[in-house]
Amino acid sequence: MSESTPEERLAALHFLRRVQQRDLARTDQWIATEEQRAAEHARRRPPPPPPDWALERGKRAKPKAIHTSQCWNPFFMQAITRDQAIEALTRGAVPPCARCEPDKELGVLE
């Protein structure tokens, strides 16, 4: 069996590189197409519903008020569970919102 020359080996490696570049370009196109499909799917999906209970934080992250979903504002509030809302109202000394009155809805009247 004859040995290949350095020129032949180099030509084969250049050929391999061109094939791999073409495969990589095709893979990149597939990825771009799937990312576009995923973005389109996300745009069509409705936003998640607001949480049932929320904790509003004031300056320095100090708890300011407890709210129901009627007052939900994701920029100023943190979603909390029913138990966390009751705990904050009863033991945490966090006041209820005067507008949505979560204390009445939770059955925690002062």
Side-chain angles (χ1 to χ4, degrees):
M1 186 178 242
S2 65
E3 290 275 327
S4 59
T5 67
E7 292 81 15
E8 291 171 331
R9 287 193 302 271
L10 188 57
L13 289 171
H14 280 294
F15 172 76
L16 176 61
R17 187 170 197 274
R18 285 192 306 274
V19 169
Q20 289 175 334
Q21 283 178 322
R22 188 177 54 230
D23 288 345
L24 182 58
R26 185 175 43 222
T27 302
D28 287 343
Q29 183 57 49
W30 290 340
I31 289 170
T33 300
E34 286 305 312
E35 287 174 341
Q36 191 175 14
R37 285 181 187 158
E40 183 65 31
H41 180 71
R43 280 193 293 274
R44 285 191 299 241
R45 191 177 320 140
D52 291 334
W53 313 103
L55 172 65
E56 179 183 1
R57 295 201 178 268
K59 294 180 181 178
R60 297 184 186 158
K62 181 181 177 200
K64 188 174 178 182
I66 300 294
H67 298 269
T68 66
S69 60
Q70 297 169 2
C71 287
W72 174 248
N73 183 338
F75 297 106
F76 303 109
M77 298 180 193
Q78 169 190 347
I80 57 174
T81 65
R82 177 183 175 83
D83 291 340
Q84 289 171 323
I86 291 172
E87 179 77 20
L89 288 170
T90 57
R91 295 196 184 103
V94 181
C97 170
R99 191 179 121 225
C100 66
E101 300 179 321
D103 51 339
K104 288 182 182 178
E105 220 174 297
L106 288 165
V108 181
L109 297 173
E110 292 181 31

